[in-house]
Amino acid sequence: MPTSAPDDSEKPNGPRSLKGTRTRVRLLEAAKEIFEEKGFLEARISDIAERAGLSHGSFYHYFESKEEIFREVAASVEETLGEPMSGVILDPESRATPPERIREALRRHLENYQREARIIGVIEQMSRYDKQVSASRLERQGRYSRQVADSIRRLQEHGLADPGLDPTIAAAALGAMTGRFPEMWLVQGAVDCSMDTAVDQVARLFINALGLSDQRAGTPQEQRASSERL
């Protein structure tokens, strides 16, 4: 692997060459591994650079500090966890019913969480001390919550969800469940169950909370027609 320092065109604030972009990705991947293994406090920039196959000094051509690279790693992981929102729930091409979308989105979310559990544990810890990490997480969570609330409103408009629910409160409560449960299960080890059981039980809670019963949801054809407007 190359260990020479990149030129000015590869620095963070200037135009990036293909080589510089790839090197930056290597640093991010190495940083994630080191943070998973050692946590934030014990991780050193020299560890990250060595894992990426670079000299210690080369690190600073791409990131100003350990905090900066950690924040970028954390943001990337959070986006991965949020992917089922756009990839399943809000997919304009999907013809799945609302309950089907919820189950698929929850499965992807929990599987992503399981793969990223080690780094998520570190992110959870750092969010209590790093205001920037905490603020970024809150902004992302708020965006997802607003999207869920909008989906609940559309379900209510089409007679599929409990009309007595406040969409904003329901979205926040369901978001708390889907965020806190996998932390208890996959990070803290406080729950013992299989992936299939977890998906089934959390999906049941989510679907029941919205009132998406067979009586309220209508026929599968009606559900699929309304799913186009989620």
Side-chain angles (χ1 to χ4, degrees):
M1 290 184 182
T3 56
S4 59
D7 59 31
D8 288 344
S9 68
E10 295 170 356
K11 293 182 181 180
N13 296 325
R16 289 194 195 124
S17 67
L18 180 59
K19 175 185 173 184
T21 299
R22 288 173 175 170
T23 302
R24 196 171 190 277
V25 169
R26 285 215 318 274
L27 279 167
L28 286 165
E29 292 173 346
K32 182 183 174 187
E33 292 176 3
I34 295 297
F35 290 134
E36 286 176 335
E37 294 169 11
K38 300 188 174 185
F40 179 81
L41 294 178
E42 297 300 320
R44 299 179 302 175
I45 288 174
S46 57
D47 297 328
I48 297 170
E50 182 179 359
R51 182 68 60 88
L54 299 168
S55 67
H56 183 280
S58 294
F59 175 92
Y60 294 100
H61 286 275
Y62 298 91
F63 300 96
E64 294 182 356
S65 65
K66 183 172 71 170
E67 288 78 9
E68 182 185 15
I69 196 169
F70 179 81
R71 289 164 186 158
E72 191 156 334
V73 168
S76 177
V77 172
E78 294 283 349
E79 289 296 335
T80 297
L81 292 182
E83 181 277 330
M85 175 63 68
S86 57
V88 179
I89 298 294
L90 302 179
D91 179 8
E93 302 300 321
S94 176
R95 293 298 179 266
T97 67
E100 288 170 346
R101 289 199 198 194
I102 289 169
R103 288 183 181 277
E104 177 60 22
L106 284 170
R107 177 172 290 280
R108 289 195 196 181
H109 173 69
L110 293 175
E111 288 176 345
N112 287 342
Y113 205 111
Q114 187 176 54
R115 283 191 294 270
E116 306 290 0
R118 292 177 68 190
I119 190 65
I120 291 171
V122 181
I123 295 170
E124 292 286 352
Q125 292 174 349
M126 280 302 295
S127 68
R128 299 182 180 97
Y129 306 103
D130 188 313
K131 292 182 178 179
Q132 190 166 327
V133 171
S134 179
S136 294
R137 296 189 83 205
L138 285 174
E139 187 279 327
R140 234 175 261 106
Q141 289 166 2
R143 183 171 74 248
Y144 297 147
S145 187
R146 289 190 294 273
Q147 290 173 330
V148 171
D150 287 343
S151 291
I152 293 172
R153 289 188 188 94
R154 286 193 286 273
L155 287 170
Q156 289 173 323
E157 289 168 1
H158 292 89
L160 296 175
D162 183 350
L165 289 174
D166 180 303
T168 300
I169 295 175
L174 292 170
M177 176 181 71
T178 55
R180 178 61 175 147
F181 170 74
E183 181 186 5
M184 293 177 64
W185 171 36
L186 298 167
V187 176
Q188 299 174 350
V191 179
D192 182 15
C193 67
S194 68
M195 175 62 69
D196 286 343
T197 299
V199 172
D200 176 70
Q201 292 297 299
V202 176
R204 283 173 183 263
L205 289 168
F206 204 112
I207 292 166
N208 290 342
L210 294 179
L212 293 174
S213 64
D214 290 337
Q215 290 181 339
R216 186 178 297 279
T219 67
Q221 291 78 12
E222 290 169 336
Q223 287 187 11
R224 287 191 170 87
S226 66
S227 71
E228 298 178 15
R229 302 179 179 87
L230 279 180

